[in-house]
Amino acid sequence: MVVAKTVKKKVKVLEYELPLRVEAQSEGGFWATSDALQGVLAEGESVSEAVANAIDVAANIIEIRSEEKLPISLKLLKKSKASQTFKTKVSVQVGSA
């Protein structure tokens, strides 16, 4: 028997301004760094990949700093509440084996 279960979770959504510097590497590819948020250093085969990787790194840094209640040195652009609904299948075996 398969049962579908819906779980609702409220999350807080924060949007920050993240200034990035992207530089070409001599051996190919690109580096993306930010002086505004310590620890942001990412690389990629293209500019867009380096930027996307830097955004992922920044999101992880911001999440950790938020959880530890440490200041975030970026300009807050937007703060909103959002709901997310998840639907998943749960397998349950019923009866004796």
Coordinates of all heavy atoms in Angstrom, one line a residue:
M1 N 0.8 -1.2 0.0 CA 0.0 0.0 0.0 C 0.9 1.2 0.0 O 1.8 1.3 0.8 CB -0.9 0.0 1.2 CG -1.7 1.3 1.4 SD -2.4 1.4 3.1 CE -4.1 1.3 2.7
V2 N 0.6 2.2 -0.8 CA 1.3 3.4 -0.9 C 0.4 4.6 -0.5 O -0.7 4.7 -1.0 CB 1.9 3.7 -2.3 CG1 2.6 5.0 -2.4 CG2 2.8 2.6 -2.7
V3 N 0.9 5.4 0.5 CA 0.1 6.5 1.0 C 0.8 7.8 0.6 O 2.0 7.9 0.8 CB 0.0 6.4 2.5 CG1 -0.8 7.6 3.1 CG2 -0.7 5.1 2.9
A4 N 0.1 8.7 0.1 CA 0.7 10.1 -0.2 C 0.5 11.0 1.0 O -0.6 11.0 1.5 CB 0.1 10.7 -1.4
K5 N 1.5 11.6 1.4 CA 1.4 12.5 2.6 C 1.9 13.9 2.2 O 2.9 14.1 1.5 CB 2.3 12.0 3.7 CG 2.3 12.8 5.0 CD 3.2 12.1 6.0 CE 3.1 12.9 7.3 NZ 4.0 12.4 8.3
T6 N 1.1 14.9 2.6 CA 1.4 16.3 2.3 C 1.9 16.9 3.6 O 1.3 16.8 4.6 CB 0.2 17.1 1.8 OG1 -0.2 16.4 0.6 CG2 0.6 18.5 1.5
V7 N 3.1 17.6 3.5 CA 3.7 18.3 4.6 C 3.8 19.8 4.3 O 4.3 20.1 3.3 CB 5.1 17.7 5.0 CG1 5.7 18.4 6.1 CG2 5.0 16.2 5.3
K8 N 3.3 20.6 5.2 CA 3.4 22.1 4.9 C 4.5 22.6 5.9 O 4.6 22.2 7.0 CB 2.1 22.8 5.2 CG 1.1 22.6 4.1 CD -0.1 23.5 4.3 CE -1.1 23.3 3.2 NZ -2.2 24.2 3.2
K9 N 5.4 23.5 5.3 CA 6.4 24.0 6.1 C 6.6 25.5 5.8 O 6.6 25.9 4.6 CB 7.8 23.3 5.8 CG 9.0 23.8 6.5 CD 10.2 23.0 6.1 CE 11.4 23.6 6.8 NZ 12.6 22.9 6.3
K10 N 6.6 26.3 6.8 CA 6.7 27.8 6.6 C 8.2 28.1 6.7 O 8.9 27.6 7.6 CB 5.9 28.6 7.6 CG 4.5 28.5 7.4 CD 3.7 29.5 8.2 CE 2.2 29.2 8.0 NZ 1.6 30.4 7.6
V11 N 8.7 28.9 5.8 CA 10.1 29.3 5.8 C 10.2 30.8 5.6 O 9.3 31.4 5.1 CB 10.9 28.6 4.6 CG1 10.9 27.1 4.8 CG2 10.3 28.9 3.3
K12 N 11.3 31.3 6.1 CA 11.5 32.8 5.9 C 12.5 32.9 4.7 O 13.5 32.2 4.6 CB 12.2 33.3 7.2 CG 12.4 34.8 7.2 CD 12.8 35.4 8.5 CE 13.8 34.6 9.2 NZ 14.4 35.3 10.4
V13 N 12.2 33.8 3.8 CA 13.0 34.0 2.6 C 13.6 35.4 2.7 O 13.0 36.4 2.9 CB 12.1 34.0 1.3 CG1 12.9 34.3 0.1 CG2 11.4 32.7 1.2
L14 N 15.0 35.4 2.6 CA 15.8 36.6 2.7 C 16.5 36.7 1.4 O 17.1 35.7 0.9 CB 16.8 36.5 3.9 CG 16.2 36.3 5.3 CD1 17.3 36.1 6.3 CD2 15.3 37.4 5.7
E15 N 16.6 37.9 0.8 CA 17.3 38.2 -0.4 C 18.4 39.2 -0.1 O 18.0 40.3 0.5 CB 16.4 38.6 -1.5 CG 15.5 37.6 -2.0 CD 14.7 38.0 -3.2 OE1 15.0 39.0 -3.8 OE2 13.7 37.4 -3.5
Y16 N 19.6 38.9 -0.4 CA 20.7 39.8 -0.1 C 21.4 40.3 -1.4 O 21.3 39.6 -2.4 CB 21.8 39.1 0.7 CG 21.4 38.8 2.1 CD1 20.8 37.6 2.5 CD2 21.5 39.8 3.2 CE1 20.4 37.3 3.8 CE2 21.2 39.5 4.5 CZ 20.6 38.3 4.8 OH 20.2 38.0 6.1
E17 N 22.0 41.4 -1.3 CA 22.8 41.9 -2.5 C 24.2 41.3 -2.3 O 24.9 41.5 -1.2 CB 22.9 43.4 -2.4 CG 23.7 44.0 -3.6 CD 23.6 45.6 -3.5 OE1 22.6 46.1 -4.1 OE2 24.5 46.2 -2.9
L18 N 24.7 40.6 -3.3 CA 26.0 40.0 -3.2 C 26.9 40.5 -4.3 O 26.8 40.1 -5.5 CB 25.9 38.5 -3.3 CG 27.2 37.7 -3.3 CD1 27.9 37.8 -2.0 CD2 27.0 36.2 -3.6
P19 N 27.8 41.5 -4.0 CA 28.7 41.9 -5.1 C 29.8 40.9 -5.4 O 30.4 40.3 -4.5 CB 29.4 43.2 -4.5 CG 28.9 43.3 -3.1 CD 28.0 42.2 -2.8
L20 N 30.0 40.6 -6.6 CA 30.9 39.5 -7.0 C 31.9 40.1 -8.0 O 31.6 41.0 -8.8 CB 30.2 38.4 -7.7 CG 29.4 37.5 -6.9 CD1 28.7 36.4 -7.8 CD2 30.2 36.8 -5.8
R21 N 33.2 39.6 -7.9 CA 34.2 39.9 -8.9 C 34.5 38.6 -9.6 O 34.8 37.6 -9.0 CB 35.4 40.5 -8.2 CG 36.6 40.8 -9.2 CD 37.8 41.5 -8.6 NE 38.2 40.8 -7.3 CZ 38.1 41.4 -6.1 NH1 37.5 42.6 -6.0 NH2 38.6 40.8 -5.1
V22 N 34.4 38.6 -10.9 CA 34.7 37.4 -11.7 C 36.0 37.7 -12.6 O 36.1 38.7 -13.3 CB 33.5 37.1 -12.7 CG1 33.8 35.8 -13.5 CG2 32.3 36.8 -11.8
E23 N 36.9 36.8 -12.5 CA 38.2 36.9 -13.2 C 38.5 35.6 -14.0 O 38.2 34.5 -13.5 CB 39.3 37.2 -12.2 CG 39.2 38.4 -11.4 CD 40.3 38.6 -10.4 OE1 41.3 38.0 -10.5 OE2 40.1 39.4 -9.5
A24 N 39.0 35.8 -15.2 CA 39.4 34.7 -16.0 C 40.7 34.1 -15.4 O 41.6 34.8 -15.0 CB 39.6 35.1 -17.4
Q25 N 40.8 32.7 -15.4 CA 42.0 32.0 -15.0 C 42.9 31.8 -16.2 O 42.4 31.6 -17.3 CB 41.6 30.7 -14.4 CG 40.7 30.7 -13.2 CD 40.4 29.4 -12.6 OE1 41.3 28.6 -12.4 NE2 39.1 29.1 -12.4
S26 N 44.2 31.9 -16.0 CA 45.1 31.7 -17.1 C 45.0 30.3 -17.7 O 45.2 30.2 -18.9 CB 46.5 32.0 -16.7 OG 46.9 31.2 -15.6
E27 N 44.7 29.3 -16.9 CA 44.6 28.0 -17.4 C 43.2 27.6 -18.0 O 42.9 26.5 -18.3 CB 45.0 27.0 -16.4 CG 44.2 27.0 -15.1 CD 44.5 28.0 -14.1 OE1 45.4 28.8 -14.3 OE2 43.8 28.0 -13.0
G28 N 42.3 28.6 -18.0 CA 40.9 28.4 -18.4 C 40.0 28.4 -17.3 O 40.3 28.2 -16.1
G29 N 38.7 28.8 -17.5 CA 37.7 28.9 -16.5 C 37.8 30.2 -15.8 O 38.5 31.1 -16.2
F30 N 36.9 30.4 -14.8 CA 36.8 31.7 -14.1 C 36.7 31.5 -12.6 O 36.2 30.4 -12.1 CB 35.5 32.3 -14.6 CG 35.5 32.7 -16.1 CD1 35.1 31.7 -17.0 CD2 36.0 33.9 -16.5 CE1 35.2 32.0 -18.4 CE2 36.0 34.2 -17.8 CZ 35.6 33.3 -18.8
W31 N 37.2 32.5 -11.9 CA 37.0 32.6 -10.4 C 36.0 33.6 -10.1 O 35.9 34.7 -10.7 CB 38.3 33.0 -9.8 CG 39.4 32.0 -9.7 CD1 40.6 32.0 -10.4 CD2 39.5 30.9 -8.8 NE1 41.3 31.0 -10.0 CE2 40.7 30.2 -9.1 CE3 38.6 30.4 -7.9 CZ2 41.0 29.1 -8.4 CZ3 38.9 29.2 -7.2 CH2 40.2 28.6 -7.5
A32 N 35.1 33.4 -9.1 CA 34.2 34.4 -8.6 C 34.4 34.5 -7.1 O 34.5 33.6 -6.4 CB 32.7 33.9 -8.9
T33 N 34.7 35.8 -6.7 CA 34.9 36.1 -5.3 C 34.1 37.3 -4.9 O 33.6 38.0 -5.7 CB 36.4 36.4 -5.1 OG1 36.7 37.6 -5.8 CG2 37.3 35.3 -5.4
S34 N 34.0 37.5 -3.5 CA 33.3 38.6 -3.0 C 34.0 39.2 -1.8 O 34.3 38.4 -0.9 CB 31.8 38.2 -2.6 OG 31.2 39.4 -2.0
D35 N 34.3 40.4 -1.9 CA 34.9 41.1 -0.7 C 33.9 41.4 0.4 O 34.3 41.6 1.5 CB 35.6 42.4 -1.1 CG 36.8 42.2 -2.0 OD1 37.4 41.1 -2.0 OD2 37.1 43.1 -2.8
A36 N 32.6 41.4 0.0 CA 31.6 41.7 1.0 C 31.2 40.6 1.9 O 30.7 40.8 3.0 CB 30.3 42.1 0.2
L37 N 31.5 39.3 1.5 CA 31.2 38.2 2.4 C 32.3 37.2 2.4 O 32.7 36.6 1.4 CB 29.9 37.5 1.8 CG 29.4 36.3 2.7 CD1 28.9 36.8 4.1 CD2 28.2 35.7 2.0
Q38 N 33.0 37.2 3.5 CA 34.2 36.4 3.7 C 33.9 34.9 3.4 O 32.9 34.4 3.9 CB 34.8 36.5 5.1 CG 36.1 35.8 5.3 CD 36.7 36.0 6.7 OE1 36.1 36.7 7.5 NE2 37.8 35.5 6.9
G39 N 34.8 34.3 2.6 CA 34.6 32.8 2.3 C 34.1 32.5 1.0 O 34.0 31.4 0.6
V40 N 33.6 33.5 0.3 CA 33.0 33.3 -1.1 C 34.1 33.2 -2.1 O 34.8 34.2 -2.4 CB 32.0 34.4 -1.5 CG1 31.5 34.2 -2.9 CG2 30.8 34.4 -0.5
L41 N 34.4 32.0 -2.6 CA 35.4 31.8 -3.6 C 34.9 30.6 -4.4 O 34.6 29.5 -3.8 CB 36.7 31.4 -3.0 CG 37.8 31.0 -3.9 CD1 38.2 32.1 -4.9 CD2 39.1 30.6 -3.1
A42 N 34.7 30.7 -5.7 CA 34.1 29.6 -6.5 C 34.7 29.7 -7.9 O 35.2 30.8 -8.3 CB 32.6 29.8 -6.5
E43 N 34.7 28.6 -8.5 CA 35.2 28.5 -9.9 C 34.2 27.9 -10.8 O 33.3 27.2 -10.3 CB 36.6 27.8 -10.0 CG 36.6 26.4 -9.6 CD 37.9 25.7 -9.8 OE1 38.7 26.1 -10.7 OE2 38.2 24.8 -9.0
G44 N 34.4 28.1 -12.1 CA 33.5 27.5 -13.1 C 34.1 27.5 -14.4 O 35.0 28.3 -14.7
E45 N 33.6 26.7 -15.3 CA 34.1 26.7 -16.7 C 33.7 27.9 -17.5 O 34.3 28.3 -18.4 CB 33.6 25.4 -17.4 CG 34.2 24.1 -16.8 CD 35.7 24.0 -17.0 OE1 36.2 24.4 -18.1 OE2 36.4 23.7 -16.1
S46 N 32.5 28.5 -17.1 CA 32.0 29.7 -17.7 C 31.8 30.8 -16.6 O 31.7 30.4 -15.4 CB 30.7 29.4 -18.5 OG 29.7 29.0 -17.5
V47 N 31.5 32.0 -17.0 CA 31.2 33.1 -16.1 C 29.9 32.7 -15.3 O 29.9 32.8 -14.1 CB 31.1 34.4 -16.8 CG1 30.5 35.5 -15.9 CG2 32.4 34.9 -17.4
S48 N 28.9 32.2 -16.0 CA 27.6 31.9 -15.4 C 27.8 30.8 -14.4 O 27.2 30.8 -13.3 CB 26.5 31.6 -16.4 OG 26.9 30.5 -17.2
E49 N 28.6 29.8 -14.7 CA 28.8 28.7 -13.8 C 29.6 29.1 -12.5 O 29.2 28.8 -11.4 CB 29.6 27.5 -14.5 CG 29.8 26.3 -13.6 CD 30.6 25.2 -14.2 OE1 31.1 25.4 -15.4 OE2 30.6 24.1 -13.6
A50 N 30.6 30.0 -12.7 CA 31.3 30.5 -11.6 C 30.4 31.4 -10.7 O 30.4 31.3 -9.4 CB 32.5 31.4 -12.0
V51 N 29.5 32.2 -11.3 CA 28.6 33.0 -10.5 C 27.6 32.1 -9.8 O 27.3 32.3 -8.6 CB 27.9 34.0 -11.4 CG1 26.7 34.7 -10.7 CG2 28.9 35.1 -11.9
A52 N 27.0 31.1 -10.5 CA 26.1 30.2 -9.8 C 26.7 29.5 -8.6 O 26.1 29.3 -7.6 CB 25.6 29.2 -10.8
N53 N 28.0 29.0 -8.8 CA 28.7 28.4 -7.7 C 29.0 29.3 -6.6 O 28.8 28.9 -5.4 CB 30.0 27.8 -8.2 CG 29.8 26.6 -9.2 OD1 28.7 26.0 -9.2 ND2 30.8 26.3 -10.0
A54 N 29.3 30.6 -6.9 CA 29.5 31.6 -5.8 C 28.2 31.8 -5.0 O 28.2 32.0 -3.8 CB 30.1 32.9 -6.4
I55 N 27.1 31.9 -5.7 CA 25.8 32.1 -5.1 C 25.5 30.9 -4.1 O 25.1 31.1 -3.0 CB 24.7 32.3 -6.1 CG1 24.9 33.6 -6.8 CG2 23.3 32.2 -5.5 CD1 24.0 33.8 -8.0
D56 N 25.8 29.7 -4.5 CA 25.6 28.5 -3.7 C 26.5 28.6 -2.4 O 26.0 28.3 -1.3 CB 25.9 27.2 -4.4 CG 24.9 26.8 -5.4 OD1 23.8 27.4 -5.4 OD2 25.2 26.0 -6.3
V57 N 27.8 29.0 -2.6 CA 28.7 29.2 -1.5 C 28.1 30.2 -0.5 O 28.1 30.0 0.7 CB 30.1 29.5 -2.0 CG1 31.0 29.9 -0.8 CG2 30.7 28.3 -2.7
A58 N 27.7 31.4 -1.1 CA 27.2 32.5 -0.3 C 26.0 32.0 0.5 O 25.8 32.4 1.7 CB 26.9 33.7 -1.1
A59 N 25.1 31.3 -0.1 CA 23.9 30.8 0.5 C 24.2 29.9 1.7 O 23.6 30.1 2.8 CB 23.0 30.1 -0.5
N60 N 25.2 29.1 1.6 CA 25.6 28.2 2.7 C 26.2 29.0 3.8 O 25.9 28.8 5.0 CB 26.6 27.1 2.2 CG 25.9 26.1 1.3 OD1 24.8 25.7 1.6 ND2 26.6 25.6 0.3
I61 N 27.0 30.0 3.5 CA 27.6 30.9 4.5 C 26.6 31.6 5.2 O 26.6 31.7 6.5 CB 28.7 31.8 3.9 CG1 29.9 31.0 3.3 CG2 29.1 32.9 4.9 CD1 30.8 31.8 2.5
I62 N 25.6 32.2 4.5 CA 24.5 33.0 5.1 C 23.7 32.1 6.0 O 23.3 32.5 7.2 CB 23.7 33.6 4.1 CG1 24.5 34.7 3.4 CG2 22.4 34.2 4.6 CD1 23.8 35.3 2.1
E63 N 23.4 30.9 5.6 CA 22.6 29.9 6.4 C 23.3 29.6 7.7 O 22.7 29.6 8.8 CB 22.3 28.7 5.6 CG 21.4 27.7 6.3 CD 21.1 26.4 5.5 OE1 21.5 26.4 4.3 OE2 20.5 25.5 6.1
I64 N 24.6 29.3 7.6 CA 25.4 29.0 8.8 C 25.4 30.2 9.8 O 25.2 30.0 11.0 CB 26.8 28.5 8.4 CG1 26.7 27.1 7.7 CG2 27.7 28.4 9.7 CD1 28.0 26.7 7.0
R65 N 25.7 31.3 9.2 CA 25.8 32.5 10.1 C 24.4 32.8 10.7 O 24.4 33.3 11.9 CB 26.3 33.7 9.3 CG 27.8 33.5 8.8 CD 28.4 34.8 8.2 NE 28.6 35.8 9.2 CZ 29.6 35.9 10.1 NH1 30.5 35.0 10.1 NH2 29.7 36.9 10.9
S66 N 23.3 32.6 10.0 CA 22.0 32.8 10.5 C 21.7 31.9 11.7 O 21.2 32.3 12.7 CB 20.9 32.7 9.5 OG 21.0 33.7 8.5
E67 N 22.0 30.6 11.5 CA 21.8 29.6 12.5 C 22.6 29.9 13.8 O 22.1 29.6 14.9 CB 22.2 28.2 12.0 CG 21.2 27.7 10.9 CD 21.7 26.4 10.3 OE1 22.8 25.9 10.5 OE2 20.9 25.8 9.5
E68 N 23.8 30.4 13.6 CA 24.7 30.7 14.7 C 24.5 32.1 15.3 O 25.2 32.6 16.1 CB 26.1 30.5 14.3 CG 26.5 29.1 14.0 CD 27.9 28.8 13.6 OE1 28.7 29.8 13.6 OE2 28.2 27.7 13.3
K69 N 23.4 32.8 14.7 CA 23.1 34.2 15.1 C 24.3 35.1 15.0 O 24.5 36.0 15.9 CB 22.5 34.2 16.5 CG 21.2 33.3 16.6 CD 20.4 33.6 17.8 CE 19.2 32.7 18.0 NZ 18.5 32.1 16.9
L70 N 25.0 35.0 13.9 CA 26.2 35.9 13.6 C 25.7 36.9 12.6 O 24.9 36.7 11.8 CB 27.4 35.1 13.1 CG 27.9 34.0 14.1 CD1 28.9 33.2 13.4 CD2 28.6 34.8 15.3
P71 N 26.4 38.1 12.6 CA 26.0 39.1 11.7 C 26.3 38.7 10.2 O 27.3 38.0 10.0 CB 26.8 40.3 12.1 CG 27.9 39.8 12.9 CD 27.4 38.5 13.5
I72 N 25.5 39.2 9.3 CA 25.7 39.0 7.9 C 26.0 40.4 7.3 O 25.2 41.3 7.4 CB 24.5 38.4 7.2 CG1 24.3 37.0 7.9 CG2 24.7 38.2 5.7 CD1 22.9 36.4 7.6
S73 N 27.2 40.5 6.6 CA 27.7 41.8 6.2 C 27.2 42.2 4.8 O 27.8 43.0 4.1 CB 29.2 41.7 6.2 OG 29.6 40.7 5.3
L74 N 26.0 41.7 4.4 CA 25.5 42.1 3.1 C 24.2 42.9 3.3 O 23.5 42.8 4.3 CB 25.1 40.8 2.3 CG 26.2 39.8 2.0 CD1 25.7 38.6 1.3 CD2 27.3 40.5 1.1
K75 N 23.9 43.7 2.3 CA 22.7 44.5 2.3 C 21.5 43.6 2.1 O 21.4 42.8 1.1 CB 22.8 45.6 1.2 CG 21.6 46.4 1.1 CD 21.7 47.4 -0.1 CE 20.4 48.2 -0.2 NZ 20.5 49.2 -1.4
L76 N 20.5 43.7 3.0 CA 19.3 42.9 2.9 C 18.3 43.6 1.9 O 18.0 44.8 2.1 CB 18.6 42.8 4.3 CG 17.3 42.0 4.3 CD1 17.6 40.5 3.9 CD2 16.8 42.0 5.7
L77 N 17.9 42.9 0.9 CA 17.1 43.5 -0.1 C 15.6 43.2 0.1 O 14.7 44.1 -0.1 CB 17.4 43.0 -1.5 CG 18.8 43.3 -2.0 CD1 19.1 42.7 -3.4 CD2 19.0 44.9 -2.1
K78 N 15.3 42.0 0.6 CA 13.9 41.6 0.7 C 13.8 40.5 1.8 O 14.6 39.6 1.9 CB 13.4 41.0 -0.6 CG 12.0 40.7 -0.7 CD 11.6 40.2 -2.1 CE 10.2 39.7 -2.1 NZ 9.8 39.1 -3.4
K79 N 12.7 40.7 2.6 CA 12.4 39.7 3.6 C 11.0 39.4 3.5 O 10.1 40.2 3.5 CB 12.8 40.3 5.0 CG 12.6 39.4 6.2 CD 13.0 40.2 7.4 CE 12.9 39.3 8.6 NZ 13.3 39.9 9.9
S80 N 10.7 38.1 3.4 CA 9.3 37.7 3.3 C 9.1 36.3 3.9 O 10.0 35.6 4.1 CB 8.8 37.7 1.8 OG 9.5 36.8 1.1
K81 N 7.8 36.0 4.2 CA 7.5 34.7 4.6 C 6.9 33.9 3.5 O 6.1 34.4 2.7 CB 6.5 34.7 5.8 CG 7.1 35.3 7.1 CD 6.1 35.3 8.2 CE 6.7 35.9 9.4 NZ 5.8 35.9 10.5
A82 N 7.2 32.7 3.4 CA 6.7 31.8 2.3 C 6.3 30.5 2.8 O 6.9 30.0 3.8 CB 7.7 31.7 1.2
S83 N 5.4 29.8 2.2 CA 5.0 28.5 2.6 C 5.5 27.5 1.5 O 5.4 27.9 0.3 CB 3.5 28.3 2.8 OG 3.1 29.1 3.9
Q84 N 5.9 26.4 1.9 CA 6.3 25.4 0.9 C 5.5 24.1 1.2 O 5.3 23.8 2.4 CB 7.8 25.0 1.0 CG 8.7 26.1 0.5 CD 10.1 25.7 0.5 OE1 10.5 24.7 1.1 NE2 11.0 26.5 -0.1
T85 N 4.9 23.5 0.2 CA 4.2 22.3 0.4 C 4.9 21.2 -0.3 O 5.3 21.3 -1.4 CB 2.8 22.4 -0.2 OG1 2.1 23.5 0.4 CG2 2.0 21.2 0.0
F86 N 5.1 20.1 0.5 CA 5.8 19.0 0.0 C 4.9 17.8 -0.1 O 4.1 17.6 0.8 CB 7.0 18.6 0.9 CG 8.0 19.7 1.0 CD1 7.9 20.6 2.1 CD2 9.0 19.8 0.1 CE1 8.9 21.6 2.3 CE2 10.0 20.9 0.3 CZ 9.9 21.7 1.3
K87 N 4.9 17.0 -1.1 CA 4.1 15.8 -1.2 C 5.1 14.7 -1.5 O 5.9 14.7 -2.4 CB 3.1 15.9 -2.4 CG 2.1 14.9 -2.4 CD 1.0 15.2 -3.3 CE -0.2 14.3 -3.1 NZ -1.3 14.7 -4.0
T88 N 5.0 13.6 -0.7 CA 5.9 12.5 -0.8 C 5.1 11.2 -0.7 O 4.0 11.2 -0.1 CB 7.0 12.6 0.2 OG1 7.9 11.5 0.0 CG2 6.4 12.5 1.6
K89 N 5.6 10.1 -1.2 CA 5.0 8.8 -1.1 C 5.7 8.1 0.0 O 6.9 8.1 0.2 CB 5.2 8.0 -2.4 CG 4.4 8.6 -3.5 CD 4.5 7.7 -4.8 CE 3.7 8.3 -5.9 NZ 3.9 7.6 -7.1
V90 N 4.8 7.5 0.8 CA 5.3 6.7 2.0 C 4.9 5.2 1.8 O 3.7 5.0 1.6 CB 4.8 7.2 3.3 CG1 5.3 6.4 4.5 CG2 5.2 8.7 3.5
S91 N 5.8 4.3 1.7 CA 5.5 2.9 1.5 C 5.3 2.3 2.9 O 6.2 2.4 3.8 CB 6.6 2.2 0.8 OG 6.8 2.7 -0.5
V92 N 4.2 1.5 3.0 CA 3.9 0.9 4.3 C 3.5 -0.6 4.0 O 2.7 -0.9 3.1 CB 2.7 1.6 5.0 CG1 2.4 0.9 6.3 CG2 3.0 3.0 5.2
Q93 N 4.2 -1.5 4.7 CA 3.9 -2.9 4.5 C 2.8 -3.3 5.6 O 3.1 -3.0 6.8 CB 5.1 -3.8 4.7 CG 4.9 -5.2 4.4 CD 6.2 -6.0 4.5 OE1 7.2 -5.5 4.7 NE2 6.0 -7.3 4.3
V94 N 1.7 -3.9 5.2 CA 0.7 -4.2 6.1 C 0.5 -5.7 6.1 O 0.5 -6.4 5.0 CB -0.7 -3.5 5.7 CG1 -1.8 -3.9 6.6 CG2 -0.5 -2.0 5.6
G95 N 0.4 -6.3 7.3 CA 0.2 -7.7 7.4 C 1.4 -8.4 7.8 O 2.5 -7.8 7.9
S96 N 1.4 -9.7 8.0 CA 2.5 -10.5 8.5 C 3.3 -11.1 7.3 O 2.7 -11.3 6.2 CB 2.1 -11.6 9.4 OG 1.2 -12.5 8.7
A97 N 4.6 -11.3 7.5 CA 5.4 -11.8 6.5 C 5.5 -13.3 6.5 O 5.4 -13.9 7.5 CB 6.8 -11.2 6.6

